[in-house]
Structure formats: structure tokens, C-alpha cells
């Protein structure tokens, strides 16, 4: 054990020998002679040993009497000697996690602001490809995290680094600077027991110029808040990842820590544990909630422990925790946390357990289900959801609390094993509460999730508190984000229900509690009611919703009616503008009076088919650091290219396929598959690639034709039918460039083309407004129905208190 030593640094064999008072070859001989000698960890191309592992081993090695020094008594172990020498040498962690006089809060501890968001977008923009070269985006991320880490570790060191970057010229100087950044980061992390390979990761980067690297460093220097999540979010969106592997959204982290830590006063010696630590965000938030200052102004000690199964997240979590002033005790392991071989997780040792485990993941070693110790029933073999629940419970000491993210469906799934586990959990009173979260918080998974709050079985509860927070959050692109106000609304409803003693009867459904306009409905359900409901832990099986007629329903209807009125005015204005247009002002505009030349399409355009499948197939699109969108037929809608960021290739692949890139005013058509209307390339889509089943039309310089005119002509039903006929003549629907080039296009003067395009654009706008108005009218009808049919709930002794939810009713 470490005993009085507070750090768990990594040591090389020479340092172990010096601390133990033996020769360097002796340490090597120990490793070869004794099979239980600790295994080394590699960092920066060298082998290191964790101090705690070495101490555990040396505690069993007594120093021979003839080798005792300095008044050491008989029976002294080499572990005793190492402790004495380590402490006397004044070694230990420096910089990160220590107080930085005059520097204010360490970067990363404050919430990110608008300026931070803008800077992160710049860092994750064109600089990515300019700095990484042929390296992966993950290597570039390592650079950002290393710089953010060093910026918070030592002011003088950071100032020297910025000075070196300003003076660096030439690629050799850039390489030396990257090596220095990696080496210093590795050295700092080793003091915290993390065997980082940052030097190797940064050596793969190939900045185009010293200026590019300098721009990255200077932008990092302007950051002020916690940008770990911002950077990871930008990366996952850029790489189109679906795992959300790296972090839990900030609002969810705050809510989980607030719920689980609410019964633990700051200032005590608490132990916090996360069996799936990701980027350490839950551990950092728990530490912030539980840390207080003692009488001398020093922060109280906490034991922060975690495990992770990925080397990249292990390194990331260590840096993140250190920047938050938390000494990381993280274990990198390749097995599940309940296999009993964890050095960090001792059963019954944690006051707080917080985790966001992987959802519905298969058990990597199914035989463990047969031989494991499962206090509440053996989990099913096809996922680990209830294995994590039981592991979290096993880690709690008496009086402890756990918060765990669970798929909402796990609360009422019909799987026999899961139902049996839920029954045992409820009967033993270890489920304290369940909170449903709004959808789209986790963009990497469509699975709706909830927070389960667990308690130690020695402190059981007879009721379970259910909260419905699905309506909270603010839309932020494709995701929703919980604000501080949303978090406070849930915490207030949770604390208020328990403080108010809502425990009478079998089930009490409370009206929505509002905190600054954020209502949270809740139900306090007894064990008897849960039995009657088939041991469901799904909040919607217990919460009865009734909106106040003077509250949310009125507001929803008013907003819907206002939107419909605004669209109605826009429609009338567009109708008036259209009616005054020359071609649209009469019931039957006259046909063209003069003949116009008819020109084959290939005389107007360069026609090029997309690359072959061998050059652009699934392999090329599987790159995790893709940044260039690829356009497929499904992206061609209403004359526009819809968001195609679901198909990406990396910059290197895009360079190899530069001949198939798109420019502004190119027209793209379907080459193979269901032939539909073509689309026009806009300015924001410059540089995108066409897929193998797309054809590109690029106007020739001498062609006197408007791209919009040509697009409208090719979008006519007759033109699309012409293309379908030619495509249908092949075995699989596909049109050849030669066939498409023979399509004849009438070519009036440019002035007439402008007039025609203007008329059609007006009708396009009117069509769009009509559709938006129809959607708004449907929404207003729904809001009015909610308002007029929002009858009060039945009162009296026979009033129903629960209801059974069907899958069709579940809006998630």
C-alpha cells in the first residue's frame, strides 16, 4: 500500500534502485527471478513501474541484516526504505493539482463560454488538416489536450513553450517543438501514474508550416473554460462517430453528481468510484461537489478512483482530472470491472459511485455469468446493463449512493432475467429513484436513457421516486442540452419530494413542480404498487400527466397560433408578389412566339460520372477522421443537396479523388438507382465529392446558359421521364454519360432565361411557404386539442393512480 505517500507516480528501474538502495542490475534480476514482480508499462519508448505496485512487492522483501543502513532496525523491508527515501527526497506531484499562486483557477475548471466555443471551432476547422498531415485526427486531438494540459500545469513552462513556438522556423524546429510538448506532457503524467505515449503520438503530426502549429498554440492560449467536452463533441461530429465513447454531456454530469452526492456533506473523507471513467468528467464533478476547505484553507482529501478499458480515454481522463485539481487513480484494464481482479475497486469501499457504462453491450466473456456472484440474479448473456447495476451496488459502503445511466427500456423490459433482477432490486429497497432524460442528449445513440439512483441494501427504502424530465433541455443542432436551470429543476423536484414526506398510500402522483418555468412531474410509488405494476421502473408507467389549463397548454397554443399567423401573412405576401409577375399575372401565359435553338446537353456541360467503387467504397468511407462529405442519390432533394455528413472521407482520399469534387453551380444527377430530379451545388458544398452513382454536369465556359435555368429544365417531369427511359434500358437502372449528353435543351436568350428562372423561383418560394403553413396548422390543431381536452384528473378514493404504458405511447 502507499500508506503515507499521496502520489502514485511511474518510476524507471534506475529510480527504483536508487530509492531501494540497490544496484540497477538487482532490479532487473528481481524482474527475471520472481514471477510476481510487477509488470512494466511503456511510455515514450521506455518501461516504467507504478510506485504502488513496487511498494506492494517490496513490502514482502526484508532487507538483509548485513545491508541495513542509517540505523534501520532489523525487519526493515525494502518498501519501508523506499517510502523513507521518497519522502526525504521531496518527490511527488508538482504543478497540476497544486495551488498556482496568483494564477487563479486552473484552465478547464470553469464552464466554457461563447469565445471558447468559437476558438474550438477554429481549432477543429482547417487547422486539423494543416497540422496533422498524414496522421490521424486523434493524433491532432492529443496535441490539443496536451497543450490544454500544459497550459494549466505551470505558468512559466507554458510561457516558455509559447516563446519557443514564436521563434520556431522550418520543419526541423517544428518537429523539435512537438517532441518537447510530448516529452513534457509524458513527464508530468508519469508523476500521476499515467504511462502516456504523447511523445510518440505527436511525432506523427506533419504541420505544413511552423505558422500552422503556432496558430494552434496561440488559440489554445486564449481558451478560458472547460473545453474538453467541446473538443470531443466537435471531433465526434466531424468523424461521424456513433459511440459517444469519450464523455458524458455536462448537464447530465451535473445532474448525476447532484443526485448521488446530495446526502454527503463536503469536507469529509469521501471515496468516489467510476467503473467506466470515459474522460473522467463524472469523477471531476463529484470531487467539485464534495470538496471543502479545512481550517487552514487547504482542500479536503478525497479518494477518487476509476477504471477504463481504452488507453486513449485513460490518458484523457488523467489529464482532465489533473486540470480539475484531482489526483487521478485510474486503472487501465481490458476486462469487465466485476471480474474481481481490480486493484482500484474493492467491494464495499465507495461512498459515491457514478458511471455512464456502455449501453446494451455484449458480455465479452459469457462464461462469467455462470460463475459470478450476482446478489440480485444473473444478468442476461446478451448485455451488461444489469451487470453494471449490481457491480455499482457491490462497491457501495453503508450509507452510500450510486448514480448510473441506464437505457429507459431496461425499466420495463420483458426479459425474464432482467425482470427477476428488477424484482429483487425493488424488494430489497435499493432503488431510490429513476429520472427520465430528454431525448437527443446523446447524439451517438438513439436509445432513450434514464438515471437510476441506488442505495446500499443496509439502508433500504420502501418507495421509489420517479421524475419525468423528458421535456427539459434546449435544442442545440441535432442534440439537446441541459442548462443549469434544467438541472436545478430536477434536483429541486427530487429533494422537495423526499423532504416533503410524500410517502402515504401506494402511489402518489404529484403535479408538475416548476422552477423558473421548468416543470418536472413526479410520482412517489410504494413497493406494493410496484409489485402490482409488474416491477416496472419506467417512470411513464407511474406518472400521470395533467397540464394546467392556465400554464403550459395555453402557452403552447399561443405560440403555435402566432407562428401560423406569421406564416399566413408570408403566404399572402408571396401570393401578391407572384400575381404581379409577367408570366404569372394571367391565367394562361402565351407560348414562346419565336423558335429557339436546341442544343445537346454535352455541348453545354462537361459530363462526368463518379469514381468507381474500388476507388470510393466502404473502406475509404470507414475512416474515423473523415472530413469531406460524399454526395449520394438520397441526398438530392427538391433541387438541393441535403446534409451529406453521414458519408465522409479523409482529406488524403479527397485529394486523390480531386477530379470528382464539386464546384459552385455544378448540377448533380442520379447515375444509377431510382432516377429523380437533379440538384444544384451551393457555395457551402464546394469541395464535396460525388459518389460512384452520381453524374456531375459542369457548365462549359462558352455556354450561354444559366445553371438555374438548366436545373429547372432537367427537373421537368418530361426530362426526368426521358432519363428514366434511358436508364431502364440497362439490366440495372443506370444512365450513361453518353446517353445523358444527347438530351436536347432549348436555349432562349439569357434575358429570357432570367425571366423564366425568376417566375419559377417565385413559385418555389410559394410552394415552400404553403408546406410550412400546412405543418404549422397541424401543430396548432394539436395544441388546441391539448388545451380544450385537458380535463382535470378524477378525484376521490376510486381514482386511478397508475396506468400501463404501451410502446406506441412512448414518445421516446
Amino acid at each position: 500500500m502507499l500508506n503515507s505517500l499521496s502520489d502514485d507516480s511511474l518510476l524507471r528501474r534506475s529510480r527504483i534502485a536508487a530509492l531501494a538502495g540497490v544496484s540497477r542490475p538487482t532490479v532487473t534480476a528481481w524482474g527475471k527471478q520472481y514471477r510476481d514482480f510487477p509488470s512494466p508499462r511503456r511510455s515514450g519508448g521506455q518501461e516504467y513501474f507504478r510506485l504502488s505496485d513496487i511498494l506492494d512487492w517490496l513490502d514482502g522483501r526484508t532487507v538483509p541484516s548485513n545491508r541495513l543502513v542509517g540505523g534501520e532496525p532489523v525487519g526493515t523491508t525494502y518498501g519501508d526504505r523506499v517510502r523513507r527515501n521518497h519522502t526525504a527526497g521531496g518527490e511527488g506531484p508538482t504543478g497540476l493539482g497544486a495551488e498556482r499562486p496568483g494564477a487563479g483557477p486552473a484552465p478547464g475548471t470553469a464552464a466554457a463560454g461563447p469565445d471558447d466555443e468559437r476558438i474550438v471551432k477554429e481549432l477543429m476547422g482547417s487547422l486539423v488538416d494543416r497540422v496533422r498531415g498524414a496522421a490521424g485526427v486523434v493524433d491532432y486531438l492529443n496535441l490539443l489536450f496536451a497543450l490544454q494540459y500544459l497550459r494549466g500545469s505551470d505558468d512559466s513552462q507554458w510561457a516558455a513553450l509559447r516563446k519557443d513556438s514564436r521563434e520556431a522556423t522550418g520543419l526541423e524546429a517544428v518537429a523539435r517543438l512537438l517532441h518537447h510538448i510530448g516529452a513534457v506532457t509524458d513527464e508530468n503524467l508519469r508523476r500521476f501514474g499515467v504511462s502516456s505515449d504523447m511523445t510518440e503520438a505527436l511525432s506523427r503530426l506533419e504541420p505544413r508550416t511552423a505558422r500552422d502549429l503556432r496558430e494552434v498554440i496561440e488559440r489554445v492560449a486564449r481558451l478560458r473554460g472547460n473545453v474538453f467536452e467541446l473538443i470531443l463533441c466537435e471531433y465526434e461530429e466531424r468523424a461521424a462517430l456513433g459511440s459517444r465513447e469519450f464523455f458524458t454531456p455536462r448537464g447530465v454530469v451535473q445532474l448525476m453528481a447532484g443526485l448521488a452526492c446530495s446526502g454527503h456533506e463536503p469536507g469529509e473523507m469521501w471515496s468516489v468510484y467510476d467503473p467506466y471513467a470515459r474522460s473522467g468528467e463524472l469523477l471531476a464533478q463529484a470531487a467539485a461537489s464534495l470538496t471543502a476547505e479545512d481550517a487552514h484553507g487547504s482542500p479536503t482529501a478525497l479518494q477518487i478512483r476509476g477504471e477504463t478499458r481504452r488507453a486513449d480515454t485513460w490518458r484523457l481522463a488523467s489529464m482532465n482530472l489533473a486540470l480539475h485539481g484531482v489526483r487521478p487513480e485510474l486503472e487501465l484494464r481490458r476486462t469487465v470491472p466485476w471480474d474481481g481482479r481490480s486493484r482500484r475497486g474493492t467491494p464495499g469501499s465507495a461512498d459515491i459511485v457514478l458511471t455512464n457504462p456502455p449501453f446494451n453491450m455484449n458480455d465479452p466473456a459469457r462464461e462469467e455469468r455462470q460463475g459470478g456472484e450476482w446478489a440480485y440474479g444473473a444478468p442476461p448473456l446478451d448485455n451488461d446493463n444489469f451487470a453494471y447495476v449490481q457491480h455499482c451496488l457491490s462497491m457501495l459502503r453503508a450509507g452510500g449512493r450510486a448514480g448510473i445511466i441506464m437505457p429507459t427500456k431496461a425499466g420495463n423490459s420483458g426479459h425474464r432475467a432482467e425482470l427477476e433482477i428488477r424484482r429483487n432490486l425493488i424488494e430489497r429497497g435499493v432503488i431510490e429513484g429513476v429520472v427520465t432524460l430528454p431525448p437527443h442528449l446523446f447524439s451517438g445513440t438513439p436509445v432513450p436513457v434514464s438515471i437510476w439512483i441506488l442505495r446500499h441494501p443496509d439502508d433500504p427504502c420502501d418507495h421509489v421516486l420517479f421524475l419525468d424530465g423528458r421535456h427539459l433541455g434546449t435544442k442545440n443542432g441535432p442534440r439537446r442540452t441541459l442548462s443549469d436551470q434544467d438541472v436545478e429543476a430536477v434536483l429541486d423536484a427530487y429533494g422537495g419530494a423526499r423532504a416533503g414526506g410524500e410517502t402515504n398510500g401506494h402511489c402518489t402522483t404529484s403535479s408538475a413542480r416548476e422552477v423558473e418555468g421548468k416543470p418536472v412531474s413526479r410520482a412517489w410509488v410504494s413497493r406494493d404498487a410496484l409489485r402490482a405494476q409488474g416491477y416496472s421502473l419506467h417512470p411513464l408507467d407511474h406518472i400521470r400527466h395533467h397540464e394546467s389549463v392556465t400554464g403550459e397548454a395555453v402557452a403552447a397554443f399561443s405560440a403555435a397560433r402566432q407562428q401560423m399567423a406569421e406564416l399566413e401573412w408570408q403566404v399572402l405576401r408571396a401570393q401578391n408578389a407572384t400575381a404581379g409577375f409577367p408570366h404569372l399575372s394571367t391565367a394562361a401565359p402565351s407560348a414562346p412566339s419565336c423558335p429557339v435553338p436546341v442544343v445537346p446537353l454535352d455541348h453545354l456541360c462537361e459530363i462526368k460520372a463518379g469514381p468507381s467503387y474500388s476507388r470510393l467504397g466502404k473502406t475509404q468511407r470507414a475512416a474515423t477522421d473523415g472530413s469531406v462529405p460524399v454526395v449520394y442519390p438520397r441526398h438530392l432533394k427538391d433541387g438541393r443537396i441535403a446534409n451529406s455528413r453521414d458519408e465522409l472521407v479523409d482529406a488524403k482520399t479527397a485529394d486523390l479523388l480531386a477530379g470528382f469534387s464539386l464546384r459552385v453551380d455544378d448540377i448533380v444527377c442520379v447515375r444509377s438507382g431510382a432516377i429523380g430530379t437533379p440538384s444544384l451545388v451551393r457555395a457551402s458544398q464546394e469541395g464535396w465529392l460525388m459518389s460512384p452513382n452520381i453524374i456531375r454536369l459542369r457548365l462549359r465556359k462558352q455556354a450561354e446558359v444559366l445553371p438555374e435555368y438548366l436545373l429547372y429544365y432537367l427537373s421537368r417531369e418530361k426530362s426526368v421521364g426521358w432519363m428514366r427511359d434511358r436508364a431502364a434500358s440497362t439490366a440495372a437502372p443506370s444512365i450513361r454519360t453518353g446517353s445523358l449528353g444527347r438530351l436536347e435543351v432549348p436555349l432562349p436568350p439569357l434575358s429570357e432565361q432570367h425571366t423564366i428562372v425568376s417566375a419559377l423561383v417565385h413559385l418555389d418560394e410559394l410552394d415552400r411557404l404553403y408546406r410550412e403553413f400546412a405543418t404549422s396548422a397541424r401543430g396548432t390543431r394539436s395544441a388546441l386539442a391539448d388545451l380544450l381536452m385537458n380535463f382535470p384528473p378524477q378525484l376521490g378514493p376510486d381514482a386511478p393512480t397508475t396506468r400501463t404504458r404501451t410502446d406506441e405511447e412512448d414518445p421516446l
Side-chain angles (χ1 to χ4, degrees), residues 372-388:
E373 296 181 3
W374 304 105
Y376 303 89
L381 296 178
D382 59 347
N383 69 68
D384 289 343
N385 297 336
F386 283 90
Y388 271 101

Side-chain angles (χ1 to χ4, degrees), residues 579-611:
F581 203 83
H583 284 307
L584 303 171
S585 57
T586 61
S590 58
S593 56
C594 300
V596 297
V598 177
V599 182
L601 184 62
D602 58 7
H603 286 195
L604 300 174
C605 306
E606 298 175 3
I607 305 176
K608 186 177 183 66

Side-chain angles (χ1 to χ4, degrees), residues 202-433:
L202 301 192
S203 69
R204 292 190 287 266
L205 296 174
E206 300 174 350
R208 295 179 182 178
T209 64
R211 179 180 179 181
D212 291 332
L213 180 58
R214 185 162 53 249
E215 284 187 27
V216 171
I217 294 173
E218 290 304 311
R219 280 174 169 80
V220 170
R222 296 202 301 270
L223 293 170
R224 290 295 176 265
N226 182 356
V227 297
F228 267 70
E229 178 177 339
L230 289 176
I231 294 173
L232 290 172
C233 185
E234 286 290 326
Y235 167 62
E236 292 191 347
E237 290 181 2
R238 176 188 177 99
L241 296 183
S243 63
R244 274 282 176 231
E245 179 66 29
F246 290 113
F247 70 97
T248 306
R250 181 175 178 82
V252 179
V253 170
Q254 292 175 317
L255 180 55
M256 291 180 68
L259 291 169
C261 298
S262 58
H264 297 75
E265 293 296 328
E268 300 290 335
M269 176 57 183
W270 302 117
S271 172
V272 186
Y273 169 68
D274 184 349
Y276 201 85
R278 297 182 185 263
S279 66
E281 65 281 359
L282 287 168
L283 293 173
Q285 184 64 42
S289 301
L290 298 172
T291 300
E293 291 185 353
D294 61 19
H296 303 287
S298 301
T300 54
L302 296 173
Q303 189 176 23
I304 305 296
R305 299 179 289 115
E307 300 171 25
T308 180
R309 288 154 73 178
R310 291 181 49 155
D312 51 0
T313 55
W314 180 45
R315 180 170 55 227
L316 170 61
S318 299
M319 288 190 289
N320 193 10
L321 288 170
L323 278 173
H324 282 81
V326 178
R327 180 173 306 288
E329 291 187 35
L330 300 175
E331 180 178 3
L332 176 62
R333 53 184 298 167
R334 303 301 183 186
T335 59
V336 290
W338 49 85
D339 68 357
R341 296 189 293 272
S342 173
R343 190 173 65 84
R344 300 289 177 191
T346 304
S349 62
D351 298 293
I352 302 292
V353 177
L354 291 170
T355 192
N356 174 17
F359 300 150
N360 302 325
M361 299 291 284
N362 288 340
D363 189 336
R366 295 188 173 186
E367 67 274 5
E368 292 178 5
R369 303 297 199 201
Q370 305 301 324
E373 296 181 3
W374 304 105
Y376 303 89
L381 296 178
D382 59 347
N383 69 68
D384 289 343
N385 297 336
F386 283 90
Y388 271 101
V389 169
Q390 296 190 65
H391 176 66
C392 289
L393 283 168
S394 73
M395 298 302 297
L396 290 177
R397 62 165 57 110
R401 294 289 186 274
I404 179 173
I405 295 287
M406 287 285 283
T408 300
K409 188 63 179 176
N412 63 354
S413 67
H415 194 289
R416 180 179 57 81
E418 294 186 348
L419 177 59
E420 177 65 15
I421 294 172
R422 288 202 310 271
R423 183 186 74 81
N424 292 329
L425 293 172
I426 291 170
E427 290 294 346
R428 294 187 61 180
V430 297
I431 304 294
E432 181 176 293

Side-chain angles (χ1 to χ4, degrees), residues 561-579:
R561 182 67 187 88
Q562 182 178 356
Q563 182 189 46
M564 189 175 74
E566 172 66 21
L567 284 170
E568 187 176 19
W569 179 80
Q570 292 183 32
V571 168
L572 290 175
R573 186 176 63 176
Q575 286 176 331
N576 292 334
T578 301

